[in-house]
Amino acid sequence: MGVAQGASRSGRYPDGRPAVVTTPEPGYRKPYFGAAAFVAVLAALLLSAWLPNYLREQAQVPRMEHERAVAAADSAAKAVAEKPDDRALATRSAAALEAVKKTKAALDKAQPPSLLPAWALALAALSSLLAVIAYGLDRQPLGFLVDERGRMSLSRLQLVAWSVLILSGYWTVSAWNIGIAHAGLAATGDQVLPTMSRDLWLLLGIVFASPLASSLILKSKTEQGPAKQDGQSDKPGPTYVESQEVTNIGPVDARTTQRAWSFMDLFVGEYTGNRTAVDVSRLQQFIFTLLALIAYAVLLWQMLEVRKSSTMLPSMPDLQENAVALLGLSHAAYLAAKGIQK
């Protein structure tokens, strides 16, 4: 299958020649490949919702076997009491008592169910869903992290990371609670959907607002006109510099295609004057966000690691207020630095 002419962007090389770069035809090479991948990811997501209840039921098997063994031993003991001279009943009673000992030992060794496998599967399914959609659009699994300028976006990375982490935990906890309620083990007044604290909602508000504010700042910068460079004309519009993949929209750094992104885009500046230098404001935000993500992942891990088979989870873990404030200051510093840079 040949490469079709997709979206194109025009500009000029440093010597003034016009340049047009086309992107490959987006989408899967075969339509059913995309459909199969999408169905597989959704199946994994549904499996992650079924897995907690399967684990809970499996954790109850040793207790159920022990209860049956105890009932059988009591029945055999009553039969022996009625016919003490019956050797067959005596043998059956002895075997029942031995079964009670074995099931009691198995019950003592049994561990409460862990929701970590279900959480890990939900994490993988949500991440794969994003990758499948992005690949279907432009044949790039990480395309959901690339902005309209062809750069890997730090704001998008943070938004995706927090969304996948919190949503996967919420999905797992909700599936666990629904299973307990369906089994009739929930107490009166128990809520199936877990609640989230004010600080966690505030965190989500910061994470969702930051990409919007970042886009507005960059849009205002692009309207200022192109950045003036040596040998460059005053005509408006993107101009290629250094290579055919690097261009600018006004003073804002950009790429000629959606495939020219780099992981270094997360740390270097977004303007023509600093696109080859490390941006400290972006670096500090990346570090603070990584620390906060790890901290919240640990809280989720501790909550989901071992659960009693009949205990519901009323709420999501709460991130400390200081951590939310620190993350908010980090985002504010990042946006302020983006606003004053030229």
Side-chain angles (χ1 to χ4, degrees), residues 158 206-207 210 284-285 289 326-336:
Q158 294 176 103
I206 293 173
V207 171
S210 183
Q284 62 84 23
Q285 191 187 19
T289 300
L326 184 62
L327 195 61
L329 289 175
S330 174
H331 277 264
Y334 163 70
L335 294 174

Side-chain angles (χ1 to χ4, degrees), residues 294-306:
I294 293 175
Y296 196 74
V298 170
L299 293 177
L300 274 174
W301 181 289
Q302 293 174 346
M303 184 182 74
L304 300 176
E305 185 174 10
V306 176

Side-chain angles (χ1 to χ4, degrees), residues 74-86 89-90 93:
D74 291 341
S75 178
K78 291 179 181 179
V80 170
E82 295 175 357
K83 299 180 179 180
D85 297 332
D86 193 325
L89 291 177
S93 177

Side-chain angles (χ1 to χ4, degrees), residues 70 121 222 247 254:
V70 171
L121 184 57
T222 57
T247 185

Side-chain angles (χ1 to χ4, degrees), residues 150-299:
R151 285 177 50 115
M152 179 165 283
S153 171
L154 180 59
S155 298
R156 290 194 182 194
L157 175 62
Q158 294 176 103
L159 177 59
V160 169
W162 279 111
S163 298
V164 170
L165 179 63
I166 294 178
L167 186 57
S168 63
Y170 197 89
W171 176 273
T172 304
V173 172
S174 299
W176 172 261
N177 290 346
I178 290 173
I180 291 179
H182 181 71
L185 302 176
T188 303
D190 284 345
Q191 296 182 357
V192 173
L193 297 180
T195 60
M196 295 197 302
S197 66
R198 181 192 62 181
D199 291 333
L200 195 55
W201 281 114
L202 181 60
L203 170 68
L204 289 176
I206 293 173
V207 171
F208 276 87
S210 183
L212 298 177
S214 177
S215 297
L216 290 176
I217 293 174
L218 291 176
K219 183 179 179 180
S220 66
K221 295 290 185 179
T222 57
E223 294 174 351
Q224 296 177 5
K228 185 66 180 260
Q229 300 183 14
D230 295 340
Q232 179 180 330
S233 67
D234 293 330
K235 296 181 180 180
T239 300
Y240 292 78
V241 294
E242 298 180 2
S243 74
Q244 297 182 19
E245 293 184 342
V246 180
T247 185
N248 60 278
I249 306 174
V252 180
D253 180 44
R255 302 291 183 268
T256 59
T257 73
Q258 292 295 104
R259 299 174 179 271
W261 58 268
S262 167
F263 284 107
M264 292 306 298
D265 293 338
L266 299 174
F267 308 108
V268 297
E270 297 182 88
Y271 299 96
T272 55
N274 65 352
R275 59 181 158 196
T276 59
V278 175
D279 189 331
V280 178
S281 65
R282 297 171 66 83
L283 181 61
Q284 62 84 23
Q285 191 187 19
F286 178 85
I287 294 175
F288 283 136
T289 300
L290 181 62
L291 291 176
L293 283 168
I294 293 175
Y296 196 74
V298 170
L299 293 177

